[in-house]
Amino acid sequence: MRLENRIALITGAGRGIGRAIAEAFAREGARVAVADLSADSAGETVAAIEAAGGTAMALTMDVTDEQAVEAGVQRVVDTWGRLDIALANAGIQHIDPVDKLDFADWRKVIAVHLDGAFLLTRAALRHMYAGSGGTMLYMGSVHSLEASPLKAPYVAAKHGMLGLCRAVAKEGAEHGVRSHIICPGFVRTPLVEKQIPEQAKELGISEQEVISKVMLKNTVDGQFTTLEDVAEVAVHLAAFPSAALTGQSIVVSHGWHMQ
Ligand SMILES: NC(=O)c1ccc[n+]([C@@H]2O[C@H](COP(=O)([O-])OP(=O)(O)OC[C@H]3O[C@@H](n4cnc5c(N)ncnc54)[C@H](O)[C@@H]3O)[C@@H](O)[C@H]2O)c1
């Protein structure tokens, strides 16, 4: 097992990509704290991990709430003794052109991705620096590296997370902390299912055209990125035996974006 005895915390792990990574980490031997806004969905991920023989705890956490993030990280350390891997994964999407975008919607998307990533990073680093280091992971996106129309706050937030990841790689090195950002293409999770009809309406095209002409147009094989694709990369990064990949963004997009 590649993550035996490691302690991990993943935000937004109640469903979608975060859940798939939580289950993959647990299969590889990690104990996993499953943090989510939704207590029910965090509990469902924990139940699935335990049913498969793994160890997990549920944390109800809004990643934009400073006290909740501090308390959640502290609970992991109090329960399991330390924190080795933290993944800032919680995310939301909002579809609107910039000229029609409400300030409140801009702020909400930025807060969940960027404030959330900062708050988790700060809380995790305090424990990692005091111990023997660790690994910070960020769930970026191809939108950390390029833009699409109608997603300005998401694109801005994901570019910001790339900057945070790089800053942490520089600052964390002397404390034994590595930092990586995973940049997936489109994965068919609830976050993506919701935006297919929204984009169809905004662009005046069919839902099938949103899939083939917008989402998968630039892939080499016309395929969605899968949960398994992303989870395997997360395990690989978390288990990587040296700091050789620190500060790197890893694109997982079936060729949509090549860097
Ligand atoms: N699905 C994709 O195509 C895709 C592609 C690239 C990147 N991503 C990123 O992957 C991450 C996960 O996305 P997903 O597709 O699995 O989405 P999802 O909507 O299926 O899951 C997101 C999870 O985050 C939780 N969440 C939302 N706001 C939160 C908050 N304030 N505090 C705590 N938890 C919160 C939700 O409850 C949910 O369980 C996001 O950061 C997203 O931007 C997704």
Side-chain angles (χ1 to χ4, degrees), residues 73-104:
V73 170
Q74 191 61 52
R75 200 173 132 213
V76 175
V77 174
D78 289 346
T79 308
W80 289 332
R82 57 179 205 283
L83 179 63
D84 301 313
I85 304 159
L87 166 57
N89 167 80
I92 57 172
Q93 180 60 277
H94 183 86
I95 302 295
D96 251 330
V98 178
D99 59 311
K100 293 183 185 148
L101 186 60
D102 283 346
F103 190 27

Side-chain angles (χ1 to χ4, degrees), residues 148-163:
S148 293
L150 309 177
K151 296 182 176 177
Y154 185 85
V155 170
K158 289 301 193 192
H159 275 66
M161 288 173 73
L162 174 65

Side-chain angles (χ1 to χ4, degrees), residues 139-259:
M139 192 52 62
S141 163
V142 165
H143 289 112
S144 297
L145 301 154
E146 65 174 74
S148 293
L150 309 177
K151 296 182 176 177
Y154 185 85
V155 170
K158 289 301 193 192
H159 275 66
M161 288 173 73
L162 174 65
L164 177 63
C165 168
R166 289 173 170 170
V168 170
K170 298 255 176 178
E171 288 187 19
E174 65 180 292
H175 304 281
V177 171
R178 305 169 201 163
S179 174
H180 315 284
I181 183 163
I182 302 166
C183 298
F186 285 99
V187 185
R188 277 199 103 146
T189 65
L191 179 135
V192 162
E193 296 295 348
K194 180 172 176 285
Q195 61 183 279
I196 294 171
E198 290 173 353
Q199 289 214 46
K201 188 169 167 231
E202 199 63 54
L203 298 170
I205 58 178
S206 71
E207 294 189 15
Q208 190 48 46
E209 285 173 317
V210 170
I211 293 172
S212 61
K213 296 190 176 158
V214 179
M215 293 182 165
L216 304 182
K217 182 176 150 230
N218 293 321
T219 60
V220 296
D221 55 6
Q223 298 294 313
F224 277 96
T225 300
T226 65
L227 293 172
E228 293 73 23
D229 290 334
V230 182
E232 175 56 31
V233 170
V235 168
H236 178 72
L237 288 171
F240 201 79
S242 78
L245 294 177
T246 198
Q248 292 299 338
S249 52
I250 309 294
V251 181
V252 191
S253 71
H254 287 241
W256 166 15
H257 182 90
M258 301 186 191
Q259 56 175 359

